[in-house]
Amino acid sequence: MDLTFTWLTHKPELALRQVVAPSTSGFALAQTNELEDATEFIQPDSLVLTVGIAFKDNQSDLGRYIDHLADAGAVAIGFGTGLTFTTIPEQVVTTARRRGIGLFEVPRHIPFISILTAIHQEQRRRAQLEQQRLIDDQERLTRAAIPGSLDMLVSTAAELLDASVRINGPGAAPVAAAESAGYTRAVDEGARLRSSTHRLVSGPKRPYSLEVASAQRPPAALLRHCAGLADMLLARPAELRAARNELNAFALSARFGLGDGSTLLPRGFDTPIDDSGLTRPAVITADRTRALEQARNALDTAADAQGHFLYAAPLDRLSMVVLVHPDQDGADFLAALGATAQRVRVAVSRPLPAADLDAAHIRALKSRCGVLALGDSSLPGSSRASWLTEPAVAEALRAQRKELLGVLETEDAERHTDYARTLTVFLQHGGQLAQTAEALGIHRHTARSRIARIQELCGIDLADPATFAEAFFAATSEV
């Protein structure tokens, strides 16, 4: 990024004095040199800083030195005075004028490092501004594309690029086109124009291209961004139409009972059902809606990364059911949850025919979640607490649950307390008051007082292991 000599001489802290005006308006970088022959080290379009120490005893060779700097690509010299030479030698001034190379006097009290630092900081500042300008322009293009209008995208691109922007379709027929006022003025003035064509990747049967012409070279990153947005807009109508057709077919099948459970879901939606009609259900429960939402987002992100859709539906405020492809086992499901698995309970089923999946099976999975602590899971093949789903045990637990929580729910309804939920959370956290208080968002002393009152109302002693276990299975099992 070139800096101008005008900017450099207007930095009062650098105290540079122009002796010979440069033939160019700016320079690309600054560097120091004290070698007699530094041809291989001099960068093109550079400002070379030197005190001429190599010529202290042969001042007559300074003219040749300036010649070789100019030949190497330097466009200006900053000559430091007061150290090797009191003033700039006449040979330096004469040669600089002859070669058209800029010459600036650098006073002794100005170290070269301060000049290099000022130039570097300004280049970095301008680079950051350019990067931010690019980000802002990309955001403007994105906002223009959101409504789905190619004309709006092309019009905004023409303004930002100060160019003529066209999207050509089959046979080079224009689909959308716009020109900026600056481009029109450049054409009228006979300016030299630059043009570029970007092929859009909408498919072999959709030979679209983006054509841009301007007097200045537009940022390549902005052109690529515009081309990508144009391609998505061109592809969107076909994709949305296909999706709508699939949904229409699904709605008709569901309405008229056409097909079986394995064929109701649209094929184009990457259904979680294999060719044998099998699917794998899972239930996730949590103590907080936020944790359940985070788990759903994690599953959606993982599915999107694999090019799949998420099939999930809420059961209530703190639980949901998810369908995944039968090839995805329990370990894969937990991996998809990532860190959010520590904030929920998960029960994953064996693969089963989609036609056989019913509310009873989902309730059984939810019951398995009910006996888990936060962060635990029940995967296929595990026999953990499988006896809870036995009919006789389930019936006993239902009766015990009604007896235990019925008293608390009545108290909650009459006095606006929260005893039933407090007991459930307390049992789920293994009787730990601190964890219970944190999960409920209350003080530990408040949790202790509630548990004491719950024991009084229910006539139980939760310090007794057998009583605690009985209350745990009754209160936390959804049977």
Side-chain angles (χ1 to χ4, degrees):
M1 180 180 297
D2 289 351
L3 297 178
T4 65
F5 290 110
T6 301
W7 168 83
L8 187 64
T9 55
H10 280 72
K11 298 283 289 183
E13 66 271 21
L14 300 182
L16 298 181
R17 182 178 69 87
Q18 180 176 290
V19 179
V20 177
S23 58
T24 61
S25 61
F27 60 99
L29 75 158
Q31 60 182 126
T32 60
N33 174 67
E34 298 300 342
L35 299 175
E36 289 187 39
D37 185 357
T39 304
E40 61 179 306
F41 303 110
I42 301 302
Q43 301 296 314
D45 301 324
S46 62
L47 164 66
V48 178
L49 303 175
T50 181
V51 296
I53 195 170
F55 302 92
K56 181 178 181 180
D57 300 324
N58 54 338
Q59 182 174 330
S60 60
D61 287 341
L62 276 170
R64 178 181 55 81
Y65 175 62
I66 302 304
D67 272 329
H68 113 256
L69 290 180
D71 291 340
V75 293
I77 296 171
F79 201 96
T81 57
L83 184 62
T84 306
F85 299 97
T86 304
T87 60
I88 300 178
E90 186 59 31
Q91 299 95 318
V92 174
V93 177
T94 303
T95 307
R97 284 200 180 102
R98 175 171 54 83
R99 296 300 303 267
I101 189 172
L103 180 61
F104 300 88
E105 181 181 0
V106 183
R108 180 172 181 173
H109 70 277
I110 302 296
F112 286 171
I113 187 64
S114 64
I115 299 175
L116 297 173
T117 299
I119 291 173
H120 174 71
Q121 289 177 343
E122 179 65 12
Q123 288 175 325
R124 184 173 60 181
R125 184 186 71 85
R126 295 189 183 191
Q128 289 173 343
L129 287 175
E130 185 176 344
Q131 180 65 27
Q132 186 58 52
R133 189 179 302 112
L134 173 62
I135 293 173
D136 293 342
D137 288 347
Q138 288 177 330
E139 289 180 352
R140 282 192 61 186
L141 285 177
T142 300
R143 288 196 298 270
I146 287 174
S149 170
L150 275 175
D151 289 333
M152 189 178 299
L153 173 64
V154 168
S155 177
T156 303
E159 176 187 348
L160 293 176
L161 298 171
D162 199 14
S164 166
V165 180
R166 290 163 52 102
I167 295 179
N168 297 322
V175 176
E179 295 179 355
S180 69
Y183 171 81
T184 303
R185 187 165 52 253
V187 172
D188 293 341
E189 295 173 355
R192 181 181 178 183
L193 300 176
R194 302 170 181 266
S195 62
S196 60
T197 302
H198 300 262
R199 185 176 180 181
L200 305 182
V201 290
S202 299
K205 296 181 179 179
R206 299 163 59 82
Y208 291 96
S209 63
L210 173 69
E211 184 179 301
V212 178
S214 63
Q216 303 295 328
R217 185 186 301 275
L222 195 59
L223 283 179
R224 290 194 297 270
H225 189 69
C226 182
L229 291 171
D231 186 68
M232 286 191 293
L233 290 179
L234 289 167
R236 180 186 290 179
E239 292 176 354
L240 291 181
R241 182 174 181 81
R244 182 57 182 265
N245 289 342
E246 291 281 5
L247 287 174
N248 289 342
F250 172 60
L252 288 175
S253 297
R255 180 172 183 177
F256 297 111
L258 303 176
D260 54 30
S262 64
T263 59
L264 275 178
L265 291 171
R267 294 180 181 178
F269 278 80
D270 186 32
T271 65
I273 300 173
D274 66 9
D275 293 339
S276 301
L278 298 179
T279 190
R280 186 189 297 274
V283 167
I284 301 176
T285 67
D287 288 341
R288 297 181 179 180
T289 56
R290 176 61 177 161
L292 193 68
E293 179 184 352
Q294 290 173 337
R296 188 188 186 284
N297 291 341
L299 291 175
D300 188 41
T301 299
D304 182 62
Q306 297 177 1
H308 299 162
F309 290 94
L310 176 65
Y311 292 85
L315 297 175
D316 52 48
R317 191 173 64 88
L318 295 175
S319 65
M320 67 177 175
V321 61
V322 182
L323 293 186
V324 297
H325 196 277
D327 290 342
Q328 183 177 355
D329 60 21
D332 295 333
F333 190 80
L334 294 178
L337 284 170
T340 64
Q342 299 303 313
R343 297 187 284 276
V344 296
R345 305 173 186 83
V346 180
V348 181
S349 169
R350 293 183 176 85
L352 75 160
D356 294 342
L357 179 59
D358 55 17
H361 193 89
I362 294 174
R363 283 197 302 270
L365 287 175
K366 191 176 179 183
S367 296
R368 284 163 56 183
C369 288
V371 298
L372 300 175
L374 279 179
D376 282 350
S377 59
S378 174
L379 304 181
S382 171
S383 60
R384 182 180 183 184
S386 59
W387 51 271
L388 286 172
T389 58
E390 293 294 328
V393 175
E395 182 62 32
L397 287 176
R398 274 194 291 269
Q400 182 65 12
R401 176 186 178 86
K402 183 176 180 181
E403 179 181 345
L404 180 64
L405 295 185
V407 175
L408 301 180
E409 290 169 351
T410 300
E411 185 77 4
D412 290 341
E414 294 177 353
R415 302 183 180 275
H416 306 290
T417 53
D418 197 18
Y419 290 145
R421 180 165 172 261
T422 298
L423 175 61
T424 301
V425 174
F426 178 74
L427 294 169
Q428 289 172 339
H429 287 85
Q432 298 296 316
L433 281 172
Q435 296 179 17
T436 301
E438 181 181 359
L440 292 171
I442 60 177
H443 194 276
R444 183 174 179 176
H445 296 310
T446 303
R448 180 183 289 109
S449 299
R450 288 187 186 180
I451 295 301
R453 178 57 177 162
I454 288 169
Q455 293 181 103
E456 180 182 344
L457 289 170
C458 298
I460 57 176
D461 179 11
L462 293 174
D464 178 63
T467 303
F468 185 93
E470 185 179 359
F472 174 83
F473 288 120
T476 62
S477 297
E478 295 286 345
V479 291

